[in-house]
Amino acid sequence: MMLARKSLLALARTSSCEQVVAYFASRRVERSNLLRVLTYHRVNDLEATPHLYPGLLSATPRQFTQQMEHLQRYYRVVSLQQVIDAVQGRQELPPKAVLITFDDAYQDFLLHAWPTLQRFELPAVLFVPTAFPDAPERCFWWDRLHNAFRDESQRAEMKAFGSLRQLLDHVKSLPHEQVRDYVEQLCHDDAHDVCRNAVMSWAELRELAEAGLALAPHTSTHPLMNRVSLDAAVEQAVASREDLLREIGSCPAVFAYPGGAYSERLPQRLRESGFELAFTTCRGINDLQQADPMQMRRINVQHSTPHSIVCGQLLGLSRHLNRMWPLQSAVS
C-alpha cells in the first residue's frame, strides 16, 4: 500500500500529469453555482520558519504563484460578496467559480501571499482569530509545542507520545479550557522555548482591508468548537465578529470553524446569531443548489501535495467524490 502510494505521488509530480489536469481544466464546461473553496494557512519556504509547525505550511511562494497562475488561466476566482449574493439567491456564480480563503492571519500572508494575489488581481478572504493581533504573549499552541519538541531536553519529557503528531492529536482531544495549562506544563519558559506571536497586527489587517481584502471571524482564541460548550462556541464567534467591527469598521456575516470542528447544533445557533455562511474543513466542491450555507466544504492545500493533485480537485467532476468525505465526519 505504501509503495503504491509513493508510485502514485511520483506520477502526480510529472509534467505529463500536470498537462493532463490542465487539459481537462481548459476543456470542461459546467453549469453555474458550483463553488470550490481553497483553504490556505501559511505561504513561505519551509526553512524560513523552523519555529512554526510545518503541518500548516500550505505552499511555498513558488508553489502559490503556480497555483494562482492556474486559477487565473482556467477558473473564475470570485469574491466573498459574490458568494454571499449567490447563497442569498441574488445572483448566480459563474461556471468554474473558486473562492480563495486563508485561516489564522499568519504574518507570511502579508509577505508572500498578498503580493501574489495583487499581482494576479485575485480576491481572497482572511479568517482572523481576533485575540491574537497585538498580543505578543499569545502563540498558537501547535506552534509552541512544535518549537518545544525541537529542543532535545524538552522532547525527552514528551517521549511518551512517540511523535509530535501524536502529541498534537492528544491536545486536540482535551477540553479547550485545559489546553493552555497543559501546554504550559509541557513547555519550559527558557531560551529554547521562544515562540513569538506570528499573527499580523491590527494595523496590518486594517491596511489589507483598505486594500480590498475581506476579513472575517475565526473565533477569538481559536478553540476547537466541539471542545467547548455550545454557548461558549457561539460566544467565540460573536466576539470575533465584534472585534472585527470595532477594529476594521465592517465585518461580513461569515465564519470559519477552527480546525473544521463543530457540534451538531452549532450551525443553527450561528445562523440564529446572524451568520449567513460558515466554512468547514470537509473536503469537496459545493453545489449551491443543495449545500447547507452553514456547512460549506473547502479543499485544504498543503505544500507536500503535488500540483496536479491540488488542481485535479478543482475539476468539476471531483464533486462526485463528496460522498467520500461526508460532512457528518466533521461533527462530534
mmCIF file of all heavy atoms in Angstrom, residues 299-316:
data_model
loop_
_atom_site.group_PDB
_atom_site.id
_atom_site.type_symbol
_atom_site.label_atom_id
_atom_site.label_comp_id
_atom_site.label_asym_id
_atom_site.label_seq_id
_atom_site.Cartn_x
_atom_site.Cartn_y
_atom_site.Cartn_z
ATOM 1 N N ILE A 299 -11.310 22.863 0.191
ATOM 2 C CA ILE A 299 -10.215 21.996 -0.249
ATOM 3 C C ILE A 299 -8.928 22.512 0.393
ATOM 4 O O ILE A 299 -8.438 23.592 0.041
ATOM 5 C CB ILE A 299 -10.095 21.999 -1.784
ATOM 6 C CG1 ILE A 299 -11.381 21.462 -2.424
ATOM 7 C CG2 ILE A 299 -8.880 21.171 -2.229
ATOM 8 C CD1 ILE A 299 -11.460 21.696 -3.921
ATOM 9 N N ASN A 300 -8.409 21.764 1.345
ATOM 10 C CA ASN A 300 -7.200 22.188 2.050
ATOM 11 C C ASN A 300 -5.969 21.985 1.169
ATOM 12 O O ASN A 300 -5.815 20.960 0.523
ATOM 13 C CB ASN A 300 -7.044 21.393 3.346
ATOM 14 C CG ASN A 300 -5.906 21.905 4.193
ATOM 15 O OD1 ASN A 300 -5.814 23.097 4.463
ATOM 16 N ND2 ASN A 300 -5.025 21.017 4.614
ATOM 17 N N VAL A 301 -5.096 22.988 1.144
ATOM 18 C CA VAL A 301 -3.881 22.936 0.337
ATOM 19 C C VAL A 301 -2.685 22.740 1.262
ATOM 20 O O VAL A 301 -2.540 23.452 2.260
ATOM 21 C CB VAL A 301 -3.706 24.231 -0.496
ATOM 22 C CG1 VAL A 301 -2.457 24.130 -1.372
ATOM 23 C CG2 VAL A 301 -4.939 24.490 -1.353
ATOM 24 N N GLN A 302 -1.828 21.776 0.932
ATOM 25 C CA GLN A 302 -0.612 21.510 1.698
ATOM 26 C C GLN A 302 0.593 21.528 0.768
ATOM 27 O O GLN A 302 0.496 21.105 -0.387
ATOM 28 C CB GLN A 302 -0.706 20.163 2.410
ATOM 29 C CG GLN A 302 -1.772 20.125 3.493
ATOM 30 C CD GLN A 302 -1.806 18.785 4.196
ATOM 31 O OE1 GLN A 302 -1.975 17.744 3.573
ATOM 32 N NE2 GLN A 302 -1.641 18.802 5.507
ATOM 33 N N HIS A 303 1.715 21.987 1.296
ATOM 34 C CA HIS A 303 2.897 22.151 0.446
ATOM 35 C C HIS A 303 3.431 20.823 -0.070
ATOM 36 O O HIS A 303 4.122 20.776 -1.080
ATOM 37 C CB HIS A 303 3.999 22.901 1.216
ATOM 38 C CG HIS A 303 4.743 22.045 2.198
ATOM 39 N ND1 HIS A 303 4.220 21.708 3.426
ATOM 40 C CD2 HIS A 303 5.962 21.456 2.132
ATOM 41 C CE1 HIS A 303 5.094 20.965 4.078
ATOM 42 N NE2 HIS A 303 6.149 20.793 3.322
ATOM 43 N N SER A 304 3.098 19.734 0.608
ATOM 44 C CA SER A 304 3.578 18.416 0.187
ATOM 45 C C SER A 304 2.711 17.789 -0.903
ATOM 46 O O SER A 304 3.068 16.735 -1.442
ATOM 47 C CB SER A 304 3.636 17.481 1.398
ATOM 48 O OG SER A 304 2.351 17.376 2.010
ATOM 49 N N THR A 305 1.584 18.412 -1.225
ATOM 50 C CA THR A 305 0.678 17.861 -2.229
ATOM 51 C C THR A 305 1.123 18.280 -3.628
ATOM 52 O O THR A 305 1.305 19.473 -3.877
ATOM 53 C CB THR A 305 -0.758 18.347 -1.993
ATOM 54 O OG1 THR A 305 -1.157 18.025 -0.660
ATOM 55 C CG2 THR A 305 -1.719 17.703 -2.975
ATOM 56 N N PRO A 306 1.287 17.339 -4.547
ATOM 57 C CA PRO A 306 1.695 17.706 -5.907
ATOM 58 C C PRO A 306 0.707 18.663 -6.571
ATOM 59 O O PRO A 306 -0.498 18.624 -6.301
ATOM 60 C CB PRO A 306 1.730 16.353 -6.631
ATOM 61 C CG PRO A 306 1.948 15.347 -5.556
ATOM 62 C CD PRO A 306 1.214 15.873 -4.358
ATOM 63 N N HIS A 307 1.235 19.495 -7.447
ATOM 64 C CA HIS A 307 0.423 20.497 -8.136
ATOM 65 C C HIS A 307 -0.759 19.862 -8.871
ATOM 66 O O HIS A 307 -1.878 20.392 -8.843
ATOM 67 C CB HIS A 307 1.303 21.272 -9.121
ATOM 68 C CG HIS A 307 0.585 22.339 -9.883
ATOM 69 N ND1 HIS A 307 0.152 23.512 -9.296
ATOM 70 C CD2 HIS A 307 0.204 22.392 -11.193
ATOM 71 C CE1 HIS A 307 -0.457 24.257 -10.213
ATOM 72 N NE2 HIS A 307 -0.436 23.602 -11.366
ATOM 73 N N SER A 308 -0.533 18.731 -9.509
ATOM 74 C CA SER A 308 -1.605 18.106 -10.277
ATOM 75 C C SER A 308 -2.750 17.639 -9.380
ATOM 76 O O SER A 308 -3.917 17.665 -9.790
ATOM 77 C CB SER A 308 -1.057 16.923 -11.087
ATOM 78 O OG SER A 308 -0.524 15.923 -10.229
ATOM 79 N N ILE A 309 -2.441 17.220 -8.156
ATOM 80 C CA ILE A 309 -3.497 16.777 -7.245
ATOM 81 C C ILE A 309 -4.274 17.968 -6.705
ATOM 82 O O ILE A 309 -5.506 17.937 -6.604
ATOM 83 C CB ILE A 309 -2.905 15.937 -6.098
ATOM 84 C CG1 ILE A 309 -2.351 14.621 -6.655
ATOM 85 C CG2 ILE A 309 -3.949 15.658 -5.032
ATOM 86 C CD1 ILE A 309 -1.757 13.704 -5.619
ATOM 87 N N VAL A 310 -3.570 19.053 -6.351
ATOM 88 C CA VAL A 310 -4.266 20.271 -5.921
ATOM 89 C C VAL A 310 -5.239 20.718 -7.007
ATOM 90 O O VAL A 310 -6.425 20.969 -6.752
ATOM 91 C CB VAL A 310 -3.267 21.401 -5.605
ATOM 92 C CG1 VAL A 310 -4.011 22.713 -5.331
ATOM 93 C CG2 VAL A 310 -2.392 21.034 -4.408
ATOM 94 N N CYS A 311 -4.749 20.801 -8.241
ATOM 95 C CA CYS A 311 -5.574 21.299 -9.339
ATOM 96 C C CYS A 311 -6.619 20.279 -9.782
ATOM 97 O O CYS A 311 -7.705 20.659 -10.230
ATOM 98 C CB CYS A 311 -4.690 21.690 -10.515
ATOM 99 S SG CYS A 311 -3.540 23.036 -10.128
ATOM 100 N N GLY A 312 -6.313 18.994 -9.645
ATOM 101 C CA GLY A 312 -7.280 17.972 -10.012
ATOM 102 C C GLY A 312 -8.528 18.022 -9.156
ATOM 103 O O GLY A 312 -9.627 17.701 -9.627
ATOM 104 N N GLN A 313 -8.379 18.436 -7.905
ATOM 105 C CA GLN A 313 -9.541 18.535 -7.019
ATOM 106 C C GLN A 313 -10.478 19.672 -7.406
ATOM 107 O O GLN A 313 -11.621 19.727 -6.944
ATOM 108 C CB GLN A 313 -9.073 18.735 -5.573
ATOM 109 C CG GLN A 313 -8.342 17.547 -5.001
ATOM 110 C CD GLN A 313 -7.837 17.817 -3.603
ATOM 111 O OE1 GLN A 313 -8.576 17.670 -2.619
ATOM 112 N NE2 GLN A 313 -6.594 18.217 -3.488
ATOM 113 N N LEU A 314 -10.008 20.574 -8.257
ATOM 114 C CA LEU A 314 -10.832 21.687 -8.711
ATOM 115 C C LEU A 314 -11.726 21.313 -9.893
ATOM 116 O O LEU A 314 -12.679 22.039 -10.195
ATOM 117 C CB LEU A 314 -9.944 22.866 -9.115
ATOM 118 C CG LEU A 314 -9.048 23.448 -8.031
ATOM 119 C CD1 LEU A 314 -8.109 24.499 -8.620
ATOM 120 C CD2 LEU A 314 -9.883 24.070 -6.916
ATOM 121 N N LEU A 315 -11.423 20.221 -10.569
ATOM 122 C CA LEU A 315 -12.217 19.817 -11.716
ATOM 123 C C LEU A 315 -13.659 19.544 -11.295
ATOM 124 O O LEU A 315 -13.912 18.959 -10.240
ATOM 125 C CB LEU A 315 -11.618 18.567 -12.358
ATOM 126 C CG LEU A 315 -10.208 18.722 -12.947
ATOM 127 C CD1 LEU A 315 -9.677 17.370 -13.401
ATOM 128 C CD2 LEU A 315 -10.200 19.718 -14.104
ATOM 129 N N GLY A 316 -14.593 19.978 -12.121
ATOM 130 C CA GLY A 316 -15.999 19.840 -11.766
ATOM 131 C C GLY A 316 -16.418 18.425 -11.434
ATOM 132 O O GLY A 316 -17.261 18.195 -10.554
#
